[in-house]
Amino acid sequence: QVRLVESGGGSVQAGGSLRLSCAASGYAASPKCMGWFRQAPGKEREGVAAIYTYNNYTYYADSVKGRFTVSQDNTKNTVYLQMNSLSPEDSALYYCAAALGRCMNWEQSLFDTHYRGQGTQVTVSS
């Protein structure tokens, strides 16, 4: 059974940093598009970042480029999201997701996949 477990959320002041982790288990180590999307109350769901596990190509939403970094540790089956220069607009429930195949349409792939975690809350205060 595929399982994705997020950790690392919390509360931070504007300008601060957090690192989210997503530990994956229960599926074969085939190339995947893994990443993060977020959902804030009253806002549309937004793809944040993704990484293609085969070649480490990364993809980002314009709103987080230059501030967030997605990476992976294959030895631990874990994907990370390093978030710097956080602002209150980044406050949301962050979900890790994994989609089979490439990240050709990464945002939609992460929205549509059945493989996702329970979410971890990130709250940024001004």
Side-chain angles (χ1 to χ4, degrees):
Q1 182 178 354
V2 176
R3 189 167 182 235
L4 301 174
V5 179
E6 302 104 334
S7 60
S11 297
V12 65
Q13 289 192 326
S17 299
L18 286 172
R19 189 177 81 155
L20 306 183
S21 299
C22 173
S25 62
Y27 54 61
S30 56
K32 299 174 185 62
C33 183
M34 292 192 66
W36 303 83
F37 66 89
R38 63 189 180 186
Q39 179 79 64
K43 293 185 178 180
E44 289 193 2
R45 185 174 50 177
E46 180 186 20
V48 176
I51 184 167
Y52 183 43
T53 61
Y54 176 72
N55 55 18
N56 280 325
Y57 281 7
T58 55
Y59 307 82
Y60 296 95
D62 287 344
S63 59
V64 306
K65 280 180 182 176
R67 301 188 299 122
F68 290 13
T69 303
V70 61
S71 61
Q72 64 169 337
D73 184 337
N74 287 335
T75 64
K76 298 180 179 179
N77 288 330
T78 300
V79 172
Y80 303 97
L81 184 68
Q82 177 66 45
M83 304 185 295
N84 298 328
S85 301
L86 285 162
S87 72
E89 289 68 36
D90 295 314
S91 296
L93 191 59
Y94 283 70
Y95 294 91
C96 174
L100 298 177
R102 296 187 173 191
C103 295
M104 297 299 290
N105 188 355
W106 65 272
E107 187 177 36
Q108 196 61 49
S109 296
L110 296 183
F111 290 167
D112 292 343
T113 180
H114 295 298
Y115 304 132
R116 61 179 65 176
Q118 295 299 307
T120 185
Q121 181 67 41
V122 171
T123 303
V124 185
S125 58
S126 57

